[in-house]
Amino acid sequence: GHTALPSLIVALTAWVSVAALVQLKEWSLIEALVFALPIYGVTILIGRSFTQAVALTPTGRSWRDLMLRVLMVTCVVGAVNAMSPFLPVKVTGVLAIMPTVMLSLILVLHGRIGGPATAALLIHAITGMVGMLLAVTLVGLTIVPWGPAASLSAGLATSLGWNLTLIAIRQGGRALRNRRLARQR
């Protein structure tokens, strides 16, 4: 197993590289989807091997966990705000979407539940983010004809619906496995 720091360095390097790459051109919605969908697909396929990890016994919650997350978010928001007058809007936008939540989850959970369980959580988060991609696509297609309120509401409903569907599928799969195990006994 890798420690958290080398894994984070590799992940951030990949993220910064892709974030810089996407800034090189203006993307149509179709081009963005053609670019993003294979990335999601490959990530989910590669990540499937990580989804069966068993967590270490949790060490308990610590006030330091919360403080670490608050500090990270505050630093990113503060840095983006401080640099925004000096940077192009595109760069500020990329910095604003830095994966702060995922980074803070990794830093907090890696020590508490172990690397494999943290990796399992992250790959499940990626499948959930497909719902966000669907929602943003819907909003992009409907914001002008429907108006902001209806379009954003539909986007929120799409994201929630996707994630509720994933939860139902996972629970159904668990129930099916449990029935099979019970019959085998």
Side-chain angles (χ1 to χ4, degrees):
H2 299 286
T3 61
L5 187 58
S7 297
L8 281 174
I9 290 170
V10 170
L12 279 175
T13 300
W15 184 84
V16 168
S17 300
V18 171
L21 175 71
V22 299
Q23 297 302 309
L24 296 177
K25 71 179 263 73
E26 293 291 325
W27 296 79
S28 71
L29 178 61
I30 298 298
E31 290 171 328
L33 289 172
V34 167
F35 180 78
L37 289 175
I39 293 171
Y40 277 100
V42 168
T43 303
I44 291 168
L45 284 174
I46 291 171
R48 290 180 77 189
S49 64
F50 294 101
T51 60
Q52 302 304 315
V54 176
L56 299 174
T57 304
T59 58
R61 295 175 193 240
S62 165
W63 64 270
R64 286 175 275 161
D65 295 347
L66 178 60
M67 294 308 296
L68 178 63
R69 293 181 78 177
V70 168
L71 180 64
M72 284 187 64
V73 171
T74 303
C75 287
V76 170
V77 170
V80 169
N81 284 330
M83 294 185 302
S84 64
F86 311 105
L87 297 173
V89 173
K90 278 186 166 186
V91 174
T92 304
V94 168
L95 291 174
I97 62 166
M98 183 180 167
T100 307
V101 172
M102 294 295 196
L103 286 174
S104 61
L105 278 173
I106 293 165
L107 290 173
V108 169
L109 293 177
H110 194 278
R112 288 183 60 211
I113 63 173
T118 302
L121 176 127
L122 293 172
I123 196 60
H124 286 299
I126 294 294
T127 58
M129 288 174 61
V130 171
M132 185 182 76
L133 179 66
L134 295 171
V136 169
T137 301
L138 179 64
V139 169
L141 292 171
T142 62
I143 192 100
V144 173
W146 295 2
S151 180
L152 292 170
S153 296
L156 177 61
T158 299
S159 184
L160 288 171
W162 173 265
N163 284 288
L164 289 172
T165 300
L166 289 178
I167 291 168
I169 289 169
R170 286 187 189 126
Q171 287 179 342
R174 270 190 222 118
L176 185 60
R177 279 191 301 276
N178 289 341
R179 281 194 297 267
R180 285 182 188 154
L181 287 174
R183 276 190 243 135
Q184 289 175 354
R185 293 180 190 161

